[in-house]
Amino acid sequence: MNHFNTLEFDVILGQLSDCAVSSAAKERCKAVIPADNIIEATRLNNQTSEAKKIMEQAGSPPIAVMTELEKIIGLINADAMLIPEQIGNVATFLISCSRMKTYLKKAESTETDISLYGNSMVDLSDLEEEISRCLHNGQVDDRATPKLHDLRRSIERKGEQIKSKIESLLQKNKQYCADGFVTIRNGRYTMPVKKEYKNKIPGILIEVSNTGSTCFIEPSAISKLQDELGTLKIEEDNEIRTILYTLTALISEDLASIKMNMEAMETLDFVFAKAKLSITMKASQIRLTEDREVRLLSARHPLLRSRPENTPAIPLDFALGNNTKGIIITGPNTGGKTVALKTVGLLSLMAQSGLHVPADERSSICIFDSVWCDIGDGQSISQNLSTFSSHMTNIISILEKTTAQSLILFDELGSGTDPAEGMGIATAILEELLTKGCLFTVTTHYPEIKDFAARTQGIINARMAFDKESLMPLYRLEIGEAGESCALHIAERLGMPMHLLERARKITYSGNAAFNITSNDKSSGKESTIIAVTPLDIADEPEKPTDIPKSQRFAIGDSVLVYPQKDIGIVYEQANSKGEVGVQIKGKKSLINHKRLKLKIAASELYPEDYDFSIIFDSVENRKARHLMGRKHVAGNTITKFNRTSQEN
């Protein structure tokens, strides 16, 4: 599930849950996992499409909230009596079921399987009508039974008799009373009598006011009537309990059907939630295929925020599979590489889960048995893991679980450590992925990885388009071309001082190995020199002590790396007095300072002892001329010296 969260699949499921109404359906939305076979995944996608079609034709469905229904069922199973509020919740659900059946009946014209769900819901209109007849506004209605109706009329008349009697007493004893009206205290009719006159009115003290100045007395003259009223109220309460028990029993009799309707309503709530999400995202059902390929057209990351109108994000077009097992995406930071990775992974998870994806309906995705990714900074303080260690731990775990049916997504592969070693590790990992036969997409800044992709069958380069003016990613993937980091350009656009930019360009492209910074040591009053070493020297491995000058350690035929570009060349001429070594790079011969060279493979490991290097370094004309000279003198026959240029350090 961690990989799901990295790809923000959990956020999508949260949005899906927000589209559901009932708590059960909400939990079901959050627990969605991708299907592992094309039949099930296709069924789930078709289900979403059918629900979307119904909503577009018939409007929003009348989904029941189903609040407290599980608790109510538990009380019924325990033979408890339901109170009016709980019975009212059952009635509300039954009304929703009736409305849903009507809604789905109208939707039958769509000729979808979901419209037939209405036939699976049991008609409980009789129970619904009985509850509605007996309850009104959360209370047992007078019409529930004739006996309850008669009791409530008797109670009403008895109350009027008591009030009339007390009002008569109030008139006769107004000098003793605090107010001139009948007061009900603790459910009994009383006279408000001033404290000092409480003994003037014969009766029972029911209550005293907060100030203590008024006593509420039930007169002895109405005691008999009050007792009769109490008896009527007990009978009323017994009748209400009988009605509630009867309704509870009726609900219990239909409990199996109610549960069946709840399951159908929950499923419909879940399915229509998927349809609502599709409509909200302006998504489509794409084709699921058994071919090992992913083909996305006009795909959008569903969580990508809108960008300014003057720099619109361009939908992603992506193709992986068949003869292409892997894509290496390069380009500048903030260029959209990570978004492209997440889009591919997230849309794959969504499609396999029966969710529509924001892409052209002509897109297609195959079924993966797993989607693994290593994206973002995984530094962990609690586990004492550096960023690189965390990435390696994750990647090693992924490689152990990867199969030919997996989709692998690695962001900035090999980063976070020494560039040379990181490049080697990244290359080894890519070779392992090719061996496993899975589909994979990787982002990187390493130029060697771009070269590896260019010469390796089954892998191709790609780059993310980047607006150099606005410094905004365009999210347009261009397959077949490697990208650039644009670091200096981005730094310039962000306001880096020009003198720093010029120095950075000089270090990057001129090959300077070091530079001096003079500073004043105020504590000693002396001027000191700090030697700042560039990455060019750092890239060189420490050399073992030897009597041979460093400039003479490169032999003709040695394969070398030329910094800072890290181009691969072959030595055609040993170092001259200036320490310049002749190196042929891609057919072009140059004199390069030995400090910029690093031995890659010695000539002794590449060629036989008496190998004729003129085959590599001489032109065809020179080789013919040498051949003729070896046989006889030919007038005008000359050998042209190597053309070369000098590249200072």
Side-chain angles (χ1 to χ4, degrees):
M1 290 297 292
N2 289 335
H3 296 278
F4 288 0
N5 295 348
T6 300
L7 293 171
E8 298 176 285
F9 186 55
D10 59 322
V11 179
I12 297 297
L13 296 187
Q15 292 184 349
L16 178 63
S17 175
D18 292 340
C19 293
V21 175
S22 64
S23 57
K26 286 179 178 292
E27 292 302 315
R28 185 171 174 180
C29 289
K30 293 177 182 178
V32 165
I33 59 174
D36 59 2
N37 65 83
I38 192 170
I39 295 176
E40 178 63 9
T42 302
R43 183 187 71 82
L44 293 173
N45 272 276
N46 290 341
Q47 190 182 67
T48 305
S49 296
E50 289 184 356
K52 183 177 181 180
K53 184 177 181 181
I54 291 174
M55 285 188 64
E56 290 173 342
Q57 177 171 310
S60 297
I63 302 293
V65 178
M66 297 190 286
T67 305
E68 299 289 322
L69 281 186
E70 289 293 341
K71 180 180 178 181
I72 291 170
I73 291 173
L75 290 173
I76 292 174
N77 290 332
D79 294 328
M81 182 192 75
L82 300 180
I83 61 176
E85 180 183 359
Q86 293 166 337
I87 296 174
N89 284 334
V90 174
T92 300
F93 171 68
L94 297 179
I95 292 171
S96 295
C97 290
S98 297
R99 291 175 178 172
M100 179 59 78
K101 286 177 69 67
T102 302
Y103 175 86
L104 294 177
K105 186 68 177 177
K106 293 179 180 178
E108 286 182 0
S109 60
T110 61
E111 298 181 349
T112 59
D113 291 339
I114 291 179
S115 64
L116 302 178
Y117 264 80
N119 298 331
S120 67
M121 301 182 76
V122 182
D123 183 2
L124 297 174
S125 56
D126 290 344
L127 177 59
E128 172 200 329
E129 292 172 0
E130 181 62 13
I131 294 174
S132 299
R133 187 185 68 80
C134 294
L135 299 182
H136 184 68
N137 291 332
Q139 300 293 328
V140 177
D141 192 85
D142 294 354
R143 300 168 298 170
T145 64
K147 182 177 181 180
L148 180 63
H149 180 270
D150 293 342
L151 284 170
R152 286 182 172 172
R153 296 292 79 77
S154 297
I155 289 170
E156 186 178 347
R157 287 192 295 269
K158 193 64 67 176
E160 292 297 327
Q161 290 178 21
I162 294 172
K163 286 175 63 178
S164 178
K165 187 70 174 177
I166 293 178
E167 287 172 354
S168 177
L169 291 172
L170 286 171
Q171 287 295 324
K172 293 179 181 179
N173 301 279
K174 65 171 60 174
Q175 68 274 24
Y176 304 133
C177 296
D179 290 305
F181 51 83
V182 179
T183 305
I184 297 177
R185 285 290 186 272
N186 294 329
R188 303 181 76 85
Y189 291 91
T190 64
M191 292 175 59
V193 180
K194 295 176 182 178
K195 177 182 178 182
E196 57 270 26
Y197 301 119
K198 65 179 181 179
N199 294 326
K200 296 292 184 177
I201 305 296
I204 302 171
L205 178 63
I206 302 299
E207 190 178 290
V208 179
S209 66
N210 292 334
T211 61
S213 61
T214 302
C215 296
F216 297 97
I217 297 174
E218 180 186 290
S220 300
I222 67 162
S223 294
K224 182 179 180 182
L225 293 174
Q226 190 75 65
D227 290 341
E228 290 174 354
L229 178 62
T231 301
L232 289 172
K233 287 187 175 181
I234 291 172
E235 291 180 16
E236 178 197 27
D237 184 64
N238 289 337
E239 184 62 16
I240 289 174
R241 292 177 66 84
T242 299
I243 294 168
L244 294 178
Y245 268 121
T246 301
L247 292 175
T248 301
L250 291 175
I251 294 172
S252 179
E253 289 176 3
D254 287 327
L255 195 57
S257 297
I258 292 174
K259 289 181 179 179
M260 187 181 302
N261 286 3
M262 287 176 64
E263 291 174 1
M265 187 67 76
E266 178 190 328
T267 299
L268 289 168
D269 191 2
F270 170 71
V271 172
F272 280 112
K274 294 195 296 177
K276 293 174 188 175
L277 184 65
S278 176
I279 294 171
T280 301
M281 288 184 176
K282 298 179 181 179
S284 307
Q285 179 179 357
I286 62 175
R287 186 173 64 91
L288 296 174
T289 176
E290 294 180 336
D291 297 331
R292 305 306 301 163
E293 67 172 11
V294 176
R295 187 174 300 277
L296 298 176
L297 301 173
S298 300
R300 294 171 286 109
H301 193 291
L303 303 178
L304 190 64
R305 294 179 179 177
S306 299
R307 303 174 65 243
E309 292 182 3
N310 59 337
T311 54
I314 298 176
L316 176 70
D317 289 335
F318 181 89
L320 174 64
N322 295 324
N323 295 327
T324 302
K325 296 297 182 182
I327 293 179
I328 308 300
I329 304 177
T330 51
N333 290 328
T334 74
K337 300 190 302 296
T338 303
V339 172
L341 274 189
K342 286 190 172 183
T343 301
V344 174
L346 181 56
L347 267 54
S348 295
L349 294 176
M350 290 175 63
Q352 287 187 222
S353 301
L355 302 179
H356 288 176
V357 301
D360 190 288
E361 61 184 9
R362 295 172 298 169
S363 302
S364 61
I365 287 180
C366 62
I367 301 297
F368 296 103
D369 62 6
S370 56
V371 177
W372 302 103
C373 64
D374 180 73
I375 299 174
D377 185 354
Q379 185 172 2
S380 172
I381 296 176
S382 63
Q383 297 182 27
N384 194 28
L385 291 177
S386 67
T387 299
F388 177 73
S389 298
S390 177
H391 282 308
M392 282 300 99
T393 300
N394 191 27
I395 289 173
I396 290 169
S397 175
I398 290 172
L399 291 177
E400 291 174 351
K401 302 169 185 173
T402 299
T403 71
Q405 311 303 314
S406 300
L407 173 63
I408 308 299
L409 307 168
F410 288 154
D411 193 25
E412 299 296 349
L413 183 61
S415 63
T417 187
D418 175 80
E421 293 183 353
M423 180 274 296
I425 290 173
T427 303
I429 291 172
L430 292 176
E431 290 175 343
E432 178 66 11
L433 293 177
L434 278 175
T435 300
K436 288 183 175 291
C438 61
L439 298 184
F440 59 91
T441 302
V442 170
T443 71
T444 183
H445 281 294
Y446 289 128
E448 294 86 356
I449 300 300
K450 304 175 191 177
D451 296 338
F452 175 79
R455 66 175 184 268
T456 302
Q457 186 175 0
I459 305 180
I460 59 174
N461 277 310
R463 66 185 179 190
M464 297 303 301
F466 183 77
D467 188 335
K468 291 186 177 182
E469 293 302 317
S470 66
L471 299 184
M472 293 294 289
L474 298 177
Y475 305 106
R476 182 177 70 242
L477 183 67
E478 298 174 345
I479 296 178
E481 297 290 339
E484 300 174 347
S485 66
C486 300
L488 291 175
H489 178 81
I490 292 174
E492 181 179 3
R493 294 286 298 173
L494 293 177
M496 189 175 187
M498 188 55 64
H499 71 283
L500 294 180
L501 284 168
E502 290 300 325
R503 183 60 183 147
R505 287 192 179 96
K506 186 175 181 181
I507 293 171
T508 302
Y509 297 114
S510 70
N512 283 336
F515 58 92
N516 296 334
I517 299 176
T518 302
S519 64
N520 292 322
D521 186 345
K522 295 182 180 179
S523 61
S524 63
K526 297 180 180 180
E527 186 180 85
S528 60
T529 300
I530 301 172
I531 304 299
V533 182
T534 71
L536 302 183
D537 286 328
I538 295 173
D540 291 333
E541 296 177 354
E543 299 193 34
K544 299 178 181 179
T546 176
D547 294 332
I548 303 174
K550 292 183 179 180
S551 61
Q552 299 298 320
R553 293 179 186 173
F554 297 102
I556 294 176
D558 284 351
S559 175
V560 293
L561 284 175
V562 182
Y563 287 87
Q565 295 86 355
K566 295 186 180 180
D567 290 331
I568 298 175
I570 300 177
V571 175
Y572 70 85
E573 184 178 281
Q574 288 188 295
N576 59 23
S577 60
K578 296 180 181 180
E580 298 171 330
V581 179
V583 181
Q584 178 173 293
I585 305 172
K586 298 179 180 178
K588 181 179 180 181
K589 296 178 175 63
S590 304
L591 291 178
I592 300 173
N593 191 289
H594 72 278
K595 294 180 180 179
R596 292 181 53 198
L597 303 180
K598 177 181 176 181
L599 181 64
K600 184 174 177 65
I601 305 175
S604 59
E605 299 180 25
L606 292 172
Y607 308 102
E609 185 175 349
D610 298 325
Y611 186 76
D612 181 8
F613 286 104
S614 66
I615 296 174
I616 299 175
F617 304 127
D618 266 354
S619 64
V620 175
E621 292 76 10
N622 279 0
R623 291 180 63 196
K624 287 182 178 179
R626 289 184 190 278
H627 181 68
L628 287 173
M629 283 183 178
R631 296 172 54 199
K632 61 181 179 179
H633 172 73
V634 178
N637 188 30
T638 61
I639 297 176
T640 305
K641 191 176 181 180
F642 298 144
N643 293 324
R644 61 193 180 195
T645 59
S646 177
Q647 295 186 17
E648 299 294 338
N649 64 338

